[in-house]
Amino acid sequence: MTMELLAPAGGPEPFRAALAAGADAIYCGVGNDFNARRNAHNFDFDAFEVACREAHLAGTRVYVTINVVVRDEEMPRALALVREASVRGADAFIIQDWGLFDQIHKAWPELELHVSTQANVHDARGVAWAREQGAHRVTLSRELSLAEISRIAEEGVELEVFGHGALCFCYSGVCLMSSMAGGRSANRGLCAQPCRLLYRLVDEAGNDIAAPGRTRPLCPKDACTAGDVAALMRAGVGSLKVEGRMKAPDYVWSVIGAYREQIDSVLTGAPASAELGGTPVSAHVARRLKRAFNRDFTDAYLRGSADDEMMSYERSNNRGQLVGEVLSSSGGQLQRRDGRGNLHRDPRQDKKSARCTAVVRIDEPVGAGDLLELRPDNDPDAFLTATVPSDVPAGGTVECRVARPMPVGCPVRVIRSKAAHEGSSADLSREVARKRAVDVRVVARLGEPLFVELTCADGPALPDGSLPQAVALGPVVETARTKALTSADLAEHVGRMGASAFELRSIEVELDEGCGMGFSVVHKVRAAACEALEEAILAPYANRARELAPVSVMAASATASTATSGAEDTASAIAASAPEVCVIAPSPEVARVATMAGATRVYAASDELGEPGSPAPAWPVGSVPILDEVCRDPEHARIDPWVTAGASVAVGNVSELALAASCGAKAEIRGCIPIHNAFALDKLERAGAAAIWLSPELTLAEIQSLAPHANVPVGIIVSGRPRVMTSEHCVLKAANRCIHDCARCALRRRMISLRDRDGRLLPIRTDLNGRSRIYDAVPLDLTPQVGELIEAGVTRFAVDATLLNEAETRAAVERLVNALAAVREGRKPASRERHSSSGHLFWGIG
């Protein structure tokens, strides 16, 4: 079994670099509106069409990312992009938004759709649900183990797994940290990467409790699965994805080339000779990967771990490859003091003697022009760089010019490979980035036209399952007037593929004795066969412009209207009902206080309610369990029993929604399944949603546009701190005190926070399963707008008391009750609380 090698491309140059390096498929963005790397140098349609043509001739597929949430008014443009990209050559589309997914599938069921990792799917049930919606492939969460992937593969849906590159600290699709801090949402392709920044882990008194050096507690190492290729194949992975649409061409060329080599060596059974992250790979592969940008490597998730080994606590920039250490360092500027005590260069020292040098022992071969980083372990900020003056083998030494003397023993790393830069540049300068292998058959029979047949040796098949093939006929073969043709002559001249998109793999010649023909004629027939083969490969794409039904803006708008127009009576009845005061309670004591203050509906994390299926008596009757936003196969035993027929349950992903629908439970969609358009609202209602809780990334105007379309109750959290991250790695590990027993962990029971560079505190809570959640530094207070929200169609208002004590909960619930009473009585609710925020209600995400 093999698997696809899927490469990133942030623009035309990285695209060609991926093609040259051997990618089986390439994913990219078209335009800068609807993909998760909106700041990349994305394609325009004309450049995209050119790139697709070259890729398809090389046997490489092209996927377009539309992996963001889409607003109502954007849906016509998003659908138009899909159709145009398909006509121009896209093979598939990677989608996050369930409304967009549904509309594409309805309009063009023939298009291939992949579910993005942003859709937060991480178990077999979720993958099966995606298959039922029309998904051809699902990109799994990065956090899954090999055992989990293997189980999911049994569903028969093609699986895509992130194999190399940057790891998000948070589960993809549920991260709000960037948007809540500055409006740059990961759900809209504008993540500011706050996880790479400096933070202090502090206790209740503000004391720093992090272990020395652990200054970046949210910064993981980069994923690297080169040593896991064989295991991933056995697990049933269909596509190995490399992250990096913001990376330079030389990075793409190096990493894709390394994985091409590794996959091919696994398929041929070649032995490994080195280790990378504790797993065997060839020495050449390891060197290429380590000399491309990296924060050090980990495959911890695949092995079922989320421990410290996966973290890059000390630094978030490029670590390169460790290649040696400083043996000695000399030189430097002599200084003398003037009469005022100020230091100046001693004029008696000549420039040559002032130069600093460092002699470096080389443990890995380096090349002339490689850029070295010399960074002392005890003073990492005092690093500097130097250029290698000449090639040096392993075991040798090299003397480099440096800006100042460096300490003996200072580690030395290659952080930029000149060979990679030159290799990618050379491939990019070629007229054809990668040629496709063909098998050739030549028939020269006296009295018959010269026959040349080209058949692609491998690569994607045509819709009928056959490999592309083409035939060209030349003039009738006559008896030689002088020298007769030989089989070697025909093989040589037909096999010269020149500037075509093809290269010879094998050639078969059938030749009558005594045949004659000019070589120029042979070349013309071979060229005609190449042109015919290009047409055969590109024909399915050329037909799309005629076959793909157009969708106009009016048609898209009409679809939205049709999806919701039949529910006006239901919506009116919901709007007429009295607003419900809800509370998310962390304990039965807080729940009781909230109900005494006026809350009529209690929600609580299922793990806090007691035994599955039977809440502890201390909790109010009818308390609604909140299921985790993460639902992995090993967790079904603790999650699934809370989903029962006729009972309400708050679900955080499509797996839990599917379970609720199958059981007849009343699924309430949590805000971590983002709904930003009426199409998604309709889709999830039809899938079984009995209530909708709005995303905290919506503006008031968007809520006013969206909520009236709902046929089920719509809720919103109006106070409390928004959860901005959910991580499989426990943030408290930055203290280096883990006892690997969450139930007995003392830090879990304390009020620990992250202090950011602006001095703001982001509270942390870690559950009994070691999963951490980070909360925003600023609490919400939307109570001044409850009147406008009621007019928009919101009927459930919640206080999130997760981080509140009993007194704070009572005050928050009473504030909400009073605001609703003021609206009923025609009064204006109280002003927003000091030091609180309106979230995105008045300033939207990008």
Side-chain angles (χ1 to χ4, degrees), residues 128-394:
W129 186 87
R131 177 189 60 216
E132 292 165 6
Q133 313 315 308
H136 297 80
R137 175 188 290 185
V138 174
T139 309
L140 297 175
S141 292
R142 295 168 172 86
E143 290 81 358
L144 303 189
S145 68
L146 277 166
E148 290 173 276
I149 293 169
S150 182
R151 163 65 190 94
I152 294 169
E154 296 173 7
E155 295 300 320
V157 180
E158 189 172 48
L159 301 180
E160 181 176 297
V161 169
F162 275 90
H164 193 92
L167 282 173
C168 292
F169 184 76
C170 179
Y171 273 90
S172 293
V174 299
C175 183
L176 302 177
M177 182 176 277
S178 179
S179 72
M180 297 308 290
R184 293 181 55 181
S185 173
N187 282 318
R188 293 283 292 175
L190 292 172
C191 180
Q193 294 190 314
C195 49
R196 303 299 179 189
L197 301 178
L198 293 165
Y199 295 91
R200 293 174 56 208
L201 189 72
V202 298
D203 63 14
E204 304 87 337
N207 300 312
D208 192 339
I209 61 171
R214 299 193 175 194
T215 56
R216 287 178 168 81
L218 309 183
C219 183
K221 296 176 182 176
D222 288 354
C224 179
T225 62
D228 303 296
V229 163
L232 288 165
M233 287 182 184
R234 290 193 298 271
V237 172
S239 178
L240 185 72
K241 186 174 200 168
V242 172
E243 182 275 338
R245 283 199 290 133
M246 300 293 288
K247 296 293 200 301
D250 59 302
Y251 174 91
V252 175
W253 183 85
S254 292
V255 173
I256 295 303
Y259 273 88
R260 178 77 280 151
E261 181 179 334
Q262 182 66 8
I263 290 171
D264 291 347
S265 68
V266 168
L267 293 173
T268 58
S273 58
E275 285 195 351
L276 191 67
T279 51
V281 298
S282 74
H284 185 249
V285 166
R287 192 172 296 124
R288 290 188 74 175
L289 292 176
K290 289 178 180 178
R291 295 186 184 189
F293 181 99
N294 73 87
R295 301 175 182 88
D296 205 355
F297 292 131
T298 180
D299 65 350
Y301 281 145
L302 281 184
R303 293 182 286 102
S305 171
D307 221 327
D308 281 338
E309 62 184 306
M310 64 171 282
M311 299 303 293
S312 180
Y313 287 127
E314 302 85 4
R315 58 192 290 190
S316 62
N317 56 355
N318 183 20
R319 294 193 181 204
Q321 181 188 20
L322 183 65
V323 295
E325 65 176 27
V326 173
L327 295 178
S328 64
S329 189
S330 62
Q333 194 176 84
L334 297 178
Q335 295 180 319
R336 60 183 300 182
R337 295 187 185 276
D338 60 19
R340 298 180 178 178
N342 297 319
L343 284 171
H344 298 277
R345 185 178 70 84
D346 190 333
R348 294 171 297 181
Q349 182 185 31
D350 60 36
K351 291 183 179 180
K352 184 174 181 180
S353 63
R355 293 173 180 170
C356 290
T357 59
V359 177
V360 177
R361 187 192 76 230
I362 297 298
D363 301 325
E364 284 277 335
V366 296
D370 285 353
L371 184 65
L372 302 180
E373 177 196 78
L374 292 72
R375 186 182 292 261
D377 285 334
N378 61 350
D379 191 7
D381 290 335
F383 73 94
L384 52 77
T385 59
T387 303
V388 178
S390 60
D391 293 350
V392 184

Side-chain angles (χ1 to χ4, degrees), residues 394-616:
T397 61
V398 63
E399 183 175 311
C400 300
R401 291 184 57 183
V402 290
R404 61 180 180 275
M406 298 302 289
V408 173
C410 173
V412 178
R413 298 172 178 272
V414 170
I415 59 171
R416 189 185 68 206
S417 166
K418 187 175 182 182
H421 180 76
E422 290 180 343
S424 64
S425 297
D427 277 350
L428 287 172
S429 67
R430 295 209 309 255
E431 186 174 353
V432 179
R434 186 171 95 227
K435 296 195 171 192
R436 191 167 181 178
V438 292
D439 296 318
V440 180
R441 180 168 170 254
V442 184
V443 180
R445 302 288 187 198
L446 288 171
E448 298 178 8
L450 178 65
F451 175 95
V452 175
E453 178 186 75
L454 305 183
T455 304
C456 289
D458 52 25
L462 295 172
D464 64 3
S466 65
L467 287 170
Q469 185 180 72
V471 170
L473 299 177
V476 172
V477 179
E478 299 177 348
T479 303
R481 297 175 183 174
T482 53
K483 182 181 177 182
L485 285 171
T486 67
S487 294
D489 290 333
L490 281 178
E492 178 187 353
H493 288 277
V494 175
R496 292 179 184 174
M497 295 294 163
S500 76
F502 309 108
E503 63 183 5
L504 183 70
R505 184 180 77 165
S506 69
I507 187 165
E508 175 187 342
V509 178
E510 299 175 24
L511 173 67
D512 282 350
E513 188 174 348
C515 291
M517 183 172 288
F519 292 139
S520 62
V521 175
V522 174
H523 296 164
K524 288 180 180 179
V525 179
R526 182 251 300 137
C530 288
E531 290 179 8
L533 184 56
E534 286 189 6
E535 291 179 6
I537 293 170
L538 300 174
Y541 304 98
N543 294 334
R544 282 188 183 168
R546 298 186 298 272
E547 297 173 351
L548 212 60
V551 171
S552 68
V553 173
M554 290 299 294
S557 300
T559 305
S561 300
T562 302
T564 56
S565 61
E568 293 179 359
D569 293 340
T570 305
S572 297
I574 293 171
S577 61
E580 293 183 84
V581 176
C582 309
V583 65
I584 300 171
S587 68
E589 293 77 20
V590 169
R592 283 197 299 272
V593 167
T595 55
M596 291 173 62
T600 58
R601 193 173 181 87
V602 174
Y603 294 79
S606 59
D607 287 343
E608 302 296 335
L609 285 172
E611 290 300 317
S614 56

